[in-house]
Amino acid sequence: MDVHLKDLFTRYNVQFGSGPGIGPGSGTCLLKIDKIASGFIESMFRASAALYRTNPWMRLRSTHLFGVRVGKDSDWVGKKQPFSCVQFVGGCAEGGDLGFHLFRSEADAKKCLGFNETVRVPGVEFLRVVYEVEVLLVGCNRRMVKSLSLEASGGDRYSLIDVARCSTMGGVGFRNPTIEELRFVYGFMKGMCMLHSLLEEDRDSGPKWSRVITFKSFIETVDVQWPMEMVSSHGFDVVAVTITHPPSNNVYKEKGSGTRTRTRTLSPTPSKYSDSPKEEEVFSDGIVNWGSGNRKCAMCEDEINVEMSISCGRCRGVVYCGDVCKRNHSKEIHKSMCGLYTAMMERGEELAMKIFKFPCLAEDPCKWLETLGTHRKGMWRRMCNCFSHCPFGMLPVTSFSDSWGGLSEGEYSCDLSISGPTPILLSGWPEYYNLRFLPLSSPVATILSYPLTLYHILMTLNISSKSLFLEDKEVIVHYLGPEGELDWMPAFAEIGYLLNGLGNLQIVMVGPEVPPNLSGNVLGISSRVRVNFVSGVYQDEVTYLPSPDVVVALNCGLESYANWGGALDLINSMNVPAFFTEASEISCANVKQVLRDARLHITHPVTPNPFRSPLSNQGLSNNLPSYSNGFVFGVNT
């Protein structure tokens, strides 16, 4: 009897005790929203689960208010952001269910701030996302979770999403959110799970006696990919999400170099290039210093020293040896492309992964590796040309600890178990680094970009392969054109860890760079992942391979290699989902024509890859943002 009463008291305290202070919902359910797609509900629960796993409540309290912007004001009804201020509730000392509240304004949020709870203020309406245990969900929500097989956030918790409004009599009314409000919350959750870990403690401010952490001023923007249901109905696939602390409604001013705040313009145009140059400036002889080393003129293809190169005055994206080549190139080719290059250059600030605390520009790979202490060690040997004489896949084998040579034990992933037989869903590098307890100074993302991009494709972009994993079945991937990956097998073992006890993965790596003496070998790199090596051209070898569930080609260079023609014809005839990555947007634009010539149409749009390498690559004849596995797209999906 005592145990029974204790259980009842625990449930009562979760619902009505200290913490959020607003109480449970009144039967609201996302399925009751008119014209809502079940796929969008699934995406909402995946996003809320991703945020829950990053555990923002470990540091955040209800007094920590955040400003949020999702896209532009013109994206929303009334040309106004639905919400502008967020608080997290239920953390450590506060008690109650974990969740967060989105307020219409910072003023509303401050009115509702109480001691360890959200105070009821008449007339204030706010949206709640609360993580409730399944047994406390009302019947309609429990049936929704079961019927749609919605993802649990952690343990047996599921997100409850409703809009609360306090009456003048002190009561609380609840309603379902609108589709637009849900879209906003989705963008916030995806952005916040990537950004909150970047908050830096400010030890010099705040009361010395307080246990509540005080954070330095903060402003960051990330690109968030809309779920496919939103892409098809709204026609755009990514949106910029900006998080600020403390909240700031509209204006983001440039801060001094001594503060942690980094400002990024909400306009798609960086401020330093926002003014259109005069005609004489476009064809000026201005010398542009883009770094060290040699470049190649986009017109005559002569090699030039970077210190003497000039660029287009409008887009800043194309490199020339001098004014004559710039004028001729503009008249013959570049004039029609300048606007496209301008848009691509403007994305540079958003594509740069500034969360990392190691150098993300390697003009000289050897010197970059030397600064990390990893030059000519372990898997890093494939990051420069020092071992180019050794065929891919034939570097001397080292132990797992030596494979990350030069890094201390806490700087690379080790074998740690996770409770619960559920594959792990990840939204990007911040969530992965948080999951694996890695410091942001660790450069392992530059190599792990390959296995985690593959995992992202299989678990997030391709529904059929994810379903097979969840059913504890095997997924077969034809991995085309491997090169450096052949020496990075210890990194691919990370996929087995992320599968977390469900499903198996067979990777068939096939390509002309696979050494003949490695062809035919099978390598079990973990209990859940094995790799088959096949030397040869894909269309010649496919007859002897097991049928694929997915075809993948990373950094494929579709426009550069003639033997891709036969492979694309084969992918078309097999009608199997195929995903590709390219380093830059201009490469993706050129690839679209290659795919059209092969009668293939992109069904998963070109989007920034959340697991792209943070290391910026510099093109020989252009300055366009370029990252290994920078953009991902798919056909037959």
Side-chain angles (χ1 to χ4, degrees), residues 149 159 223 357 370 381 417 461 498 506 612 629 632 637:
S149 299
S159 53
D223 275 343
K357 301 185 183 301
E370 286 171 358
R381 291 173 288 180
S417 60
L461 305 186
L498 295 173
Q506 181 182 171
R612 59 190 177 274
N629 296 316
V632 60
T637 57

Side-chain angles (χ1 to χ4, degrees), residues 212-287:
V212 178
I213 299 175
T214 302
F215 297 109
K216 294 181 180 179
S217 296
F218 176 89
I219 176 172
E220 283 288 354
T221 301
V222 292
D223 275 343
V224 167
Q225 181 178 335
W226 289 122
M228 291 305 296
E229 298 80 14
M230 299 308 303
V231 174
S232 58
S233 60
H234 290 272
F236 47 88
D237 49 17
V238 294
V239 64
V241 177
T242 301
I243 306 294
T244 62
H245 175 76
S248 178
N249 291 332
N250 294 305
V251 181
Y252 300 125
K253 296 181 180 178
E254 191 71 31
K255 303 292 181 180
S257 58
T259 178
R260 168 67 179 83
T261 304
R262 279 204 302 267
T263 301
R264 301 185 186 185
T265 178
L266 295 179
S267 158
T269 306
S271 57
K272 62 181 179 180
Y273 298 143
S274 60
D275 295 329
S276 299
K278 298 177 182 178
E279 188 68 20
E280 58 269 21
E281 291 175 340
V282 175
F283 297 104
S284 68
D285 290 329
I287 296 175

Side-chain angles (χ1 to χ4, degrees), residues 47-57 98 131 153-155 157 193:
S48 62
L51 178 58
Y52 184 90
R53 285 193 297 270
T54 65
N55 197 13
W57 302 274
L98 302 179
Y131 295 91
S153 296
R157 289 183 180 269
C193 72

Side-chain angles (χ1 to χ4, degrees), residues 21 74 130 193 363 378 399 429 443 464 476 593:
S74 58
V130 179
C193 72
E363 295 167 347
S399 64
W429 287 123
S464 59
I476 298 175
Q593 185 57 52

Side-chain angles (χ1 to χ4, degrees), residues 127-141:
L127 188 145
R128 310 185 309 161
V129 176
V130 179
Y131 295 91
E132 284 195 347
V133 292
E134 185 177 2
V135 294
L136 295 180
L137 292 176
V138 295
C140 54
N141 278 298

Side-chain angles (χ1 to χ4, degrees), residues 398-405 412-415 490-491 493-494:
T398 59
S399 64
F400 179 81
S401 58
D402 291 338
S403 63
W404 292 108
Y412 59 85
S413 304
C414 54
D415 220 1
E494 190 69 4

Side-chain angles (χ1 to χ4, degrees), residues 273 277 311-318 334 337-343 345 624:
Y273 298 143
S311 70
C312 171
R314 282 200 179 96
C315 69
R316 306 289 204 264
V318 188
H334 182 63
M337 298 288 290
C338 191
L340 177 62
Y341 274 58
T342 300
M345 288 292 290
L624 297 176

Side-chain angles (χ1 to χ4, degrees), residues 225 228 450 453-466 475-481 485 538 548-558 564 567-568 571 574-582 588 591 595 600-607 609 629 631-637:
Q225 181 178 335
M228 291 305 296
Y450 286 83
T453 294
L454 175 59
Y455 186 77
H456 173 66
I457 289 170
L458 298 178
M459 285 300 298
T460 304
L461 305 186
N462 190 53
I463 297 174
S464 59
S465 56
K466 178 185 177 181
V475 172
I476 298 175
V477 174
H478 285 182
Y479 190 112
L480 310 188
E485 305 97 301
Y538 181 55
D549 298 298
V550 186
V551 175
V552 170
L554 304 187
N555 289 326
C556 54
L558 283 177
W564 269 115
L568 294 177
I571 291 171
M574 292 191 302
N575 196 32
V576 62
F579 290 87
F580 308 89
T581 65
E582 290 281 4
C588 294
V591 161
L595 293 174
L600 286 167
H601 301 284
I602 294 179
T603 52
H604 179 82
V606 174
T607 54
N609 175 17
N629 296 316
F631 298 85
V632 60
F633 52 95
V635 299
N636 297 334
T637 57

